[in-house]
Each structure stands twice: as structure tokens, then as C-alpha cells.
Amino acid sequence: MNKVVIYTTSLCPYCHMAKQLLQEKNIAFKEIDVTGASELRAEMRVKAGGVNTVPQIWIGERHVGGCTDLYALDRAGQLDPLLQS
């Protein structure tokens, strides 16, 4: 099972939706809350190629993107295989 990392903020509804989808699939994930943590947000921005919005999600070494991207992978039937690989 691929390791999942998600950068979030505490008040972001899209962060909550992304985490909810992962929880519904019983997928453990590492959450990195960047609320008020400029150094962590800067780390996320570098890893995400300049993207500053949350959530930002990685499955294994693959940068999935945000919540919309995660749900699109799920709708396309590509999320479960990616999680299992």
C-alpha cells in the first residue's frame, strides 16, 4: 500500500472532503497541517511545483494534486489501484 501524505489547513472544507474520502476507503494518511506554519507551507509549495493551495496530496511519490483531483481519480476508477500499487 502506498503511503499517503496530505497537506491541510484546519478550516479548509476541501481538506475535510479529501480526508473524508480517504477515511471512507480506510486509507491511513499522514496529515501535515500548515495552518500558521509558513515553513511547512513553503515546503509544500516547493514539493507541489509552486502550488500554494490546500489540500495537496501525494500517494507514494506521485503528486495527485488537490481534492478535486483526488475525487476525479476515484470517479475514473484509478484511485484504488494507485493506493494499492
Side-chain angles (χ1 to χ4, degrees):
M1 172 116 9
N2 268 321
K3 179 179 175 184
V4 178
V5 176
I6 179 170
Y7 285 78
T8 65
T9 59
S10 58
L11 298 176
C12 168
Y14 294 102
C15 297
H16 293 288
M17 289 172 53
K19 291 187 299 184
Q20 181 179 357
L21 177 59
L22 293 169
Q23 289 165 346
E24 287 172 1
K25 292 182 168 291
N26 294 316
I27 300 301
F29 55 88
K30 177 181 178 184
E31 180 176 7
I32 301 172
D33 189 343
V34 299
T35 305
S38 58
E39 68 285 350
L40 289 175
R41 189 176 281 268
E43 171 188 294
M44 177 198 77
R45 186 172 32 279
V46 168
K47 289 181 179 179
V51 179
N52 196 42
T53 58
V54 291
Q56 289 301 313
I57 305 157
W58 280 262
I59 299 175
E61 296 298 316
R62 178 176 171 181
H63 178 225
V64 171
C67 181
T68 304
D69 303 304
L70 184 69
Y71 274 84
L73 281 173
D74 191 42
R75 280 191 308 276
Q78 298 175 352
L79 181 57
D80 290 334
L82 181 59
L83 291 165
Q84 297 302 319
S85 65

